[in-house]
Amino acid sequence: MTHRLLRAAMPLLLAAAALLPAACIDEESGLGLDLVDESTLFEGHRHTLYADRALSVRDDSLLTSDYAYGIVGNHRDATYGFVSAELFTQIALNDKMGSINFASQTIDSVVLSLSSRSRYPDSTATYNFHFEVRQLAEPLLGDTSYYASSTLAVEGGAPLFDNTLTLAPGDTLVRMKLSDGLASALRSNASAEEFVQLTRGLRIRIVDDADLGMADLDFTRTNDSRIEVYYHTYDDDTASSLYTFLLGTASHFLHFSHDYSGAAVDGSDSLDGSQQLYLEPLAGYNTLLSFDTAIRAFAAAHPTATVHHAELLLPVLTPDHSSLPERVMAMKKNPGRNDSYISDLLDLYTLGGYDGSFDEARGCYRMRVTQHVQNIIRQGYDPGTLLLLDARRSSARRVVAAGAEAASPVRIELVYSE
């Protein structure tokens, strides 16, 4: 009986044995590796570098010309005070048009539209925004670099648009019917270059006498961010034709202004970062760290060290994590030269690792800085590391982080061998 049972079961046993190699291969696959802390994958000695100097410094030279995303509006909070953002933009011909002849057309209406997919500080709220649009008094130049502090004069008199619009959470398009004041400039017979000079451009802002808040702008959505002109010829009474002008994808820049009166941050050029570090977008504050003392000591004690893994940890003090910035970036200070992004950031998409995003479980931003740390150990000193927000031209999200002497301070944890 026993032998008969074994013979009957043999095909099942052989089938199970045939599956064993495949099961071993599956166990060695990458499945689940994203659940493992990357630093635990390296063997070697562990060491922590602590910053000997930390400052929050004003971002006073932020270039804002011709970026794909932007923001307009106003915001106030107890930490950073008041900030406003305005858009200055050319009105340009369609890319395929080298000239225009609108002189013989009758313009029926001019509609400005902007793509805006989210609002700050509460993306689930409804906002009543008082939009104002004015024509520029001087041309916005396409071959000029404009910064957050740049501004251009506007025409006096009645605005082209001056009204309150309601934006609900699901709204993705802002449409404003402009007054007839712009029609004479659009009714031109001109080349593309002459047209930009004739129309000069627009300033678009949200006046701070209604709801405070900010609306993001997406200039890549060319079918949404544009000026629509409905027109007909003098001798044609049929329905209007439509011509669209470029807006936003043409040359443009953002102007940011801050008022720190009564705020926790006083607006100084630099702020002590021993306990708190400030990262504020829209030409607010960046953070400057120096690990020079720790780097010199480590390089002297371990001159041949190979760094296998290093990550910068930036603990967050802001209690509301729902409105934190998406990502923190790092640049290496280069005395006498322009700052440059750290090597790890440039190789992020090929090498992988922590990209400066927020880790909810650990309550901090994590950034892989392996190559950066190896480089400054080799040179024997730290010229400084600048932390800044990735979307600092198009998002108002800000954060307060732990300083160099806080209970859980900003630091670099590394794994090395020698």
Side-chain angles (χ1 to χ4, degrees):
M1 176 68 71
T2 302
H3 293 294
R4 285 198 299 269
L5 291 174
L6 286 175
R7 282 197 299 270
M10 188 59 69
L12 295 175
L13 294 174
L14 291 174
L19 293 175
L20 288 178
C24 291
I25 293 174
D26 286 344
E27 288 176 2
E28 295 177 358
S29 72
L31 183 64
L33 286 180
D34 58 337
L35 303 178
V36 179
D37 192 316
E38 187 180 352
S39 65
T40 64
L41 303 178
F42 299 92
E43 294 184 1
H45 306 287
R46 295 180 177 273
H47 188 78
T48 300
L49 303 173
Y50 295 99
D52 54 82
R53 187 166 178 261
L55 295 171
S56 296
V57 294
R58 286 299 304 271
D59 189 5
D60 56 4
S61 58
L62 182 64
L63 184 70
T64 63
S65 299
D66 301 335
Y67 282 85
Y69 302 94
I71 192 169
V72 291
N74 311 279
H75 179 67
R76 185 189 305 276
D77 66 32
T79 301
Y80 292 107
F82 181 80
V83 60
S84 68
E86 301 174 338
L87 170 66
F88 292 77
T89 178
Q90 288 180 345
I91 306 169
L93 301 184
N94 187 293
D95 287 332
K96 298 179 181 179
M97 301 291 293
S99 63
I100 191 172
N101 186 353
F102 243 42
S104 61
Q105 313 301 327
T106 297
I107 294 179
D108 301 314
S109 62
V110 179
V111 178
L112 181 155
S113 65
L114 296 170
S115 174
S116 178
R117 307 182 72 79
S118 67
R119 261 65 70 186
Y120 180 85
D122 185 357
S123 60
T124 65
T126 295
Y127 288 90
N128 295 306
F129 285 147
H130 178 181
F131 280 91
E132 180 196 78
V133 181
R134 288 184 177 272
Q135 189 173 9
L136 299 182
E138 55 184 304
L140 192 160
L141 305 176
D143 58 356
T144 298
S145 295
Y146 294 95
Y147 295 82
S149 58
S150 301
T151 188
L152 294 173
V154 296
E155 292 283 3
L160 299 174
F161 185 86
D162 185 17
N163 208 345
T164 298
L165 301 177
T166 300
L167 295 184
D171 293 339
T172 61
L173 192 64
V174 182
R175 290 176 61 83
M176 293 171 266
K177 185 177 180 180
L178 304 184
S179 69
D180 295 336
L182 189 62
S184 59
L186 297 177
R187 194 182 297 113
S188 303
N189 182 2
S191 67
E193 293 78 10
E194 292 169 340
F195 183 79
V196 168
Q197 295 292 317
L198 288 170
T199 55
R200 299 189 294 279
L202 303 174
R203 184 191 71 184
I204 303 169
R205 67 171 183 161
I206 296 176
V207 184
D208 63 354
D209 59 2
D211 288 346
L212 287 182
M214 311 194 88
D216 75 324
L217 301 174
D218 184 352
F219 302 127
T220 67
R221 303 179 68 87
T222 54
N223 288 333
D224 292 340
S225 294
R226 61 184 186 173
I227 286 185
E228 302 170 352
V229 177
Y230 297 88
Y231 69 96
H232 65 274
T233 59
Y234 288 125
D235 56 356
D236 186 357
D237 293 329
T238 61
S240 291
S241 299
L242 171 65
Y243 186 92
T244 60
F245 293 94
L246 298 180
L247 185 73
T249 48
S251 292
H252 62 274
F253 71 91
L254 296 160
H255 170 72
F256 304 132
S257 61
H258 294 262
D259 182 358
Y260 294 100
S261 301
V265 172
D266 63 13
S268 301
D269 289 342
S270 64
L271 302 170
D272 174 67
S274 58
Q275 296 299 319
Q276 294 183 325
L277 297 171
Y278 299 100
L279 285 166
E280 183 193 16
L282 314 184
Y285 279 90
N286 298 326
T287 283
L288 180 61
L289 302 174
S290 173
F291 293 88
D292 191 57
T293 300
I295 288 294
R296 289 178 184 273
F298 185 89
H302 311 282
T304 62
T306 297
V307 178
H308 302 293
H309 176 81
E311 63 177 89
L312 186 145
L313 302 178
L314 183 67
V316 165
L317 301 180
T318 302
D320 180 11
H321 292 175
S322 65
S323 61
L324 290 179
E326 184 174 344
R327 186 177 176 216
V328 174
M329 300 167 61
M331 301 187 77
K332 176 185 176 182
K333 300 294 292 183
N334 298 308
R337 295 180 290 126
N338 292 332
D339 301 338
S340 59
Y341 288 107
I342 64 172
S343 302
D344 302 86
L345 184 62
L346 298 176
D347 294 336
L348 171 65
Y349 296 105
T350 56
L351 297 179
Y354 303 114
D355 64 350
S357 56
F358 181 67
D359 186 327
E360 181 69 45
R362 299 186 64 174
C364 64
Y365 286 92
R366 302 176 67 181
M367 184 187 309
R368 180 171 60 81
V369 292
T370 306
Q371 294 183 60
H372 176 57
V373 170
Q374 183 73 80
N375 291 338
I376 58 178
I377 288 174
R378 289 285 183 262
Q379 69 185 24
Y381 69 97
D382 178 17
T385 301
L386 188 69
L387 302 184
L388 40 89
L389 299 177
D390 185 11
R392 61 196 180 281
R393 297 174 180 86
S394 57
S395 172
R397 292 172 176 260
R398 63 278 309 277
V399 64
V400 179
E405 299 175 15
S408 177
V410 57
R411 60 196 182 275
I412 294 175
E413 295 182 354
L414 59 93
V415 182
Y416 73 95
S417 63
E418 55 185 340

